[in-house]
Amino acid sequence: MHHGITLKNDLGEIETMVEAVEGFGQVCHLSIPTIFTMNLVLEEIITNIISYAYVDDEEHDIIVDFTWDKDVLTLVVTDDGIPFNPLEVVAPNLLIPVEEREVGGLGIYFVTQRMDEVLYTWEQGHNVLTMRKSCSKEVVI
Amino acid sequence: MIKIYIAPVRVDDETSMQTRISLSSLIQNGGRKLICDFSNTQFLSASGVEAFANSGKMLMHLGGELGICWARPNLQTMFEEANLAKYVKFYNLEESINIYVIRELVEHFDSYEDVKDIITRREGDITIIEIFLLFASDSTMGEVQQTITLLKEKIEKQIQKSRVIIIANGI
């Protein structure tokens, strides 16, 4: 099962993303924890892109592809913002008090913790982030 | 002073700023024990987790506490994953219910003399709350009934799928 959506670089588009995630989850009969994870990782990544990836005021497209195949969920987010590899963001130091932590690292940390595999590539002027998660052992609640 | 904050359905990057402002405002207005009601909350982003943890940390410095009740397990897990659970206190079902019950009882403290006991139990998906109230011996039946009806209605409205039984006794 495959589904794709195109979002504009506007935070109001998060609502569109949420609706697409819920719809895809229902069609593929995904568990509530899987849908929650999709929402979480996409919200963190897309919010980052909208907030920091563009240096102009122009409208840009952010493409999100969802694939559910043989109990493996694959999410691919493509944007034409400035080159940015989120995997190079220094992981937050969870041992220091909250007010001393750097802002922003926690979202990427959640993404890498929740997904089995996260890959970044720079392809033809686009950031491409591919995230995979195997859900075969998940208990549906 | 105990203050209640009803968390929104989604506490994401956009709404977490409003959450920070609301929590700060409650603290500035004297709130030292904040109870954050997560019963409607389905989604929490990293910035949402940080918003609650920061307020919790601030309250700890002031000798207070930020409590979270009715949180779904996946939301509670996020605080633990981020090592931020130490700044908030999660309440279980019975504790969460008692917080609401006590709040209502405190609001109407002049309608009865004392609270003897509060017992909470579950029957299927229904929460049964038994409240044992003591009334002054010169209270009329009408006054007692009026207090019982008012408390029952308010608590049952606050707590989904609940049945409140109030047992009245004279001192």
Side-chain angles (χ1 to χ4, degrees):
Chain A
M1 177 69 70
H2 175 262
H3 183 59
I5 56 169
T6 301
L7 306 172
K8 298 298 176 193
N9 52 325
D10 180 331
L11 284 174
E13 289 281 79
I14 294 294
E15 202 175 319
T16 309
M17 181 276 288
V18 173
E19 285 170 9
V21 166
E22 302 285 338
F24 185 77
Q26 280 186 3
V27 170
C28 297
H29 305 290
L30 302 183
S31 68
I32 291 170
T34 301
I35 295 171
F36 179 81
T37 297
M38 288 172 72
N39 258 321
L40 178 64
V41 301
L42 288 175
E43 203 270 349
E44 299 293 352
I45 296 298
I46 292 168
T47 299
N48 267 354
I49 294 169
I50 294 171
S51 304
Y52 306 112
Y54 301 107
V55 291
D56 57 33
D57 294 327
E58 302 297 312
E59 193 174 270
H60 294 268
D61 286 342
I62 301 163
I63 299 160
V64 186
D65 284 305
F66 310 84
T67 306
W68 176 247
D69 183 33
K70 294 173 185 167
D71 292 341
V72 176
L73 174 70
T74 305
L75 305 170
V76 182
V77 181
T78 306
D79 70 83
D80 61 347
I82 55 173
F84 174 68
N85 179 356
L87 301 176
E88 289 177 353
V89 172
V90 178
N93 182 350
L94 303 181
L95 300 175
I96 60 174
V98 61
E99 68 272 16
E100 291 172 25
R101 296 184 191 179
E102 288 192 26
V103 177
L106 191 58
I108 302 296
Y109 174 77
F110 279 143
V111 172
T112 54
Q113 290 295 303
R114 299 298 175 108
M115 304 304 284
D116 297 332
E117 186 180 33
V118 183
L119 298 169
Y120 169 82
T121 53
W122 174 253
E123 295 175 17
Q124 298 172 331
H126 289 76
N127 294 293
V128 181
L129 192 70
T130 304
M131 299 169 281
R132 283 196 187 85
K133 183 175 175 64
S134 170
C135 304
S136 56
K137 291 176 186 170
E138 215 167 57
V139 178
V140 177
I141 59 169
Chain B
M1 188 187 292
I2 298 175
K3 290 184 181 276
I4 309 282
Y5 172 71
I6 309 292
V9 174
R10 283 180 66 85
V11 189
D12 55 21
D13 210 57
E14 216 171 358
T15 55
S16 64
M17 185 52 73
Q18 186 53 50
T19 293
R20 278 176 197 266
I21 293 167
S22 300
L23 292 174
S24 291
S25 171
L26 290 172
I27 295 169
Q28 280 168 11
N29 288 320
R32 289 297 174 265
K33 178 152 186 173
L34 299 190
I35 304 296
C36 301
D37 181 340
F38 269 43
S39 54
N40 296 323
T41 308
Q42 296 170 7
F43 180 82
L44 198 56
S45 70
S47 56
V49 172
E50 286 171 332
F52 288 102
N54 274 309
S55 297
K57 174 90 178 177
M58 194 188 301
L59 279 167
M60 280 172 77
H61 283 309
L62 296 168
E65 179 186 279
L66 187 138
I68 293 177
C69 66
W70 304 102
R72 293 162 194 230
N74 54 355
L75 303 185
Q76 186 169 340
T77 302
M78 291 176 71
F79 284 88
E80 288 154 7
E81 272 181 39
N83 198 23
L84 294 173
K86 59 191 166 197
Y87 299 118
V88 299
K89 179 169 170 53
F90 290 96
Y91 291 98
N92 63 27
L93 177 73
E94 189 172 322
E95 289 168 329
S96 302
I97 288 168
N98 283 351
I99 286 164
Y100 274 116
V101 172
I102 290 165
R103 187 181 66 162
E104 290 303 333
L105 290 173
V106 166
E107 201 172 304
H108 300 281
F109 73 96
D110 52 352
S111 305
Y112 56 87
E113 287 299 308
D114 207 352
V115 182
K116 200 175 170 191
D117 205 357
I118 301 167
I119 298 171
T120 307
R121 60 191 162 86
R122 299 276 282 182
E123 280 185 14
D125 64 343
I126 304 292
T127 304
I128 311 289
I129 304 160
E130 291 176 301
I131 305 168
F132 297 80
L133 287 184
L134 294 177
F135 288 85
S137 52
D138 59 351
S139 302
T140 66
M141 286 299 285
E143 287 167 343
V144 170
Q145 190 55 51
Q146 194 179 3
T147 301
I148 289 174
T149 305
L150 178 70
L151 286 170
K152 181 178 164 62
E153 279 178 3
K154 288 192 82 174
I155 296 168
E156 286 181 349
K157 194 177 171 188
Q158 286 274 2
I159 301 167
Q160 286 183 339
K161 295 185 178 177
S162 68
R163 191 173 145 228
V164 174
I165 302 164
I166 298 178
I167 298 104
N169 277 297
I171 287 180

